[in-house]
Amino acid sequence: MLELRPAAARGTANFGWLHSRHSFSFGHYYDPEQVGFSDLLVINDDRVSAGKGFGTHPHRDMEIFSYVLEGALEHKDSMGTGSVIRPGDVQMMSAGTGILHSEYNGSQEAPVHFLQIWIVPNRVGVAPRYQQQHFSEADKRGRLRLIISPDGADGSLSVYQDARVYAGLFDGDEQQRITLPAGRHAYVHVARGSLQVNGQPMTAGDGARLRDVQEIGFSGGQQAEVLLFDLRPVELPGD
């Protein structure tokens, strides 16, 4: 079963310097039918103006990763980490016992466009950690590349949860089918462009819940960039 979550149905936030679309309930946006899916809690599609950003703020017991689509995102945290994240980079932060961090547009001229995604961890009170890895366009061209996994398989980043995240780029005749273990849930988020997922047309910002579907096919892409989440079969309120 595929349940489409159209881009236009997402929550919105506009603070002038920040334009954000929320796939799930977040901040002042609350929809009892959209409070996450399995362990996937947040997908925020953020556009931050030049030179602006999120000041220092805390997180605790949450797996948070950033996926940059355009521009440069500057990160600093209480572990002493400082980095700039650009397209192709994936940053994973395990907040654990508590962390302070800030995120700013690293450019004084161009906006930054990125996805911030939260996954509920399977353990609490761990020591905070930071990871960053670059996945080239060639790694993702016409295929789904594992970028996050519980055990850091195939050069992916590690997450404290039974979840796997894949990223892919599809255009023209490029296509792939992926088979998930029986009984899993999946969530697809189209970051940009358009493509078909099991024959269902999807465009930038669209999401889809998939239950009891082992084979997922990606085809008909038009400059598409897509994320696939392989998740435990856990139902949250509103699922």
Side-chain angles (χ1 to χ4, degrees):
M1 184 181 72
L2 185 152
E3 177 188 340
L4 185 67
R5 169 71 161 151
R10 294 177 297 173
T12 61
N14 186 347
F15 298 99
W17 62 271
L18 168 67
H19 292 252
S20 186
R21 302 300 302 266
H22 307 318
S23 294
F24 303 112
S25 295
F26 185 85
H28 296 294
Y29 167 64
Y30 177 72
D31 181 340
E33 300 298 318
Q34 303 294 338
V35 289
F37 183 57
S38 179
D39 297 304
L40 176 59
L41 188 63
V42 169
I43 300 179
N44 287 349
D45 188 342
D46 292 340
R47 296 175 185 267
V48 178
S49 298
K52 303 295 184 180
F54 303 89
T56 302
H57 59 281
H59 290 288
R60 184 183 179 92
D61 291 324
M62 190 61 64
E63 303 291 285
I64 301 171
F65 78 90
S66 298
Y67 188 96
V68 175
L69 297 165
E70 298 176 80
L73 183 67
E74 185 173 350
H75 166 92
K76 293 181 180 179
D77 63 43
S78 53
M79 292 183 289
T81 306
S83 64
V84 177
I85 312 158
R86 296 183 171 84
D89 294 338
V90 181
Q91 174 214 69
M92 169 64 79
M93 187 176 69
S94 299
T97 54
I99 193 169
L100 298 170
H101 82 137
S102 63
E103 295 168 295
Y104 278 87
N105 186 339
S107 170
Q108 296 297 318
E109 300 175 352
V112 63
H113 180 198
F114 72 104
L115 303 175
Q116 183 170 111
I117 299 169
W118 295 12
I119 293 174
V120 179
N122 59 11
R123 66 195 74 177
V124 297
V126 301
R129 68 178 180 183
Y130 176 91
Q131 304 166 73
Q132 184 172 327
Q133 179 67 35
H134 181 80
F135 299 92
S136 70
E137 181 173 330
D139 284 339
K140 298 174 286 187
R141 173 54 56 199
R143 63 186 289 259
L144 291 168
R145 172 63 160 94
L146 184 66
I147 61 172
I148 291 172
S149 68
D151 55 0
D154 195 22
S156 61
L157 304 182
S158 299
V159 63
Y160 288 120
Q161 186 51 267
D162 180 11
R164 290 163 183 81
V165 186
Y166 299 81
L169 301 170
F170 295 93
D171 202 26
D173 294 332
E174 296 171 340
Q175 56 184 295
Q176 185 178 4
R177 298 190 68 82
I178 186 169
T179 302
L180 302 181
R184 300 287 286 181
H185 283 355
Y187 193 87
V188 174
H189 179 82
V190 180
R192 54 182 163 192
S194 64
L195 82 167
Q196 294 185 22
V197 178
N198 283 1
Q200 169 68 53
M202 297 180 65
T203 60
D206 286 351
R209 290 175 167 90
L210 294 101
R211 301 177 179 88
D212 300 319
V213 177
Q214 277 191 267
E215 290 217 353
I216 306 174
F218 298 82
S219 61
Q222 296 183 23
Q223 298 182 329
E225 186 159 6
V226 63
L227 295 178
L228 169 66
F229 300 82
D230 170 12
L231 304 163
R232 299 186 304 150
V234 176
E235 300 289 347
L236 298 177
D239 280 353

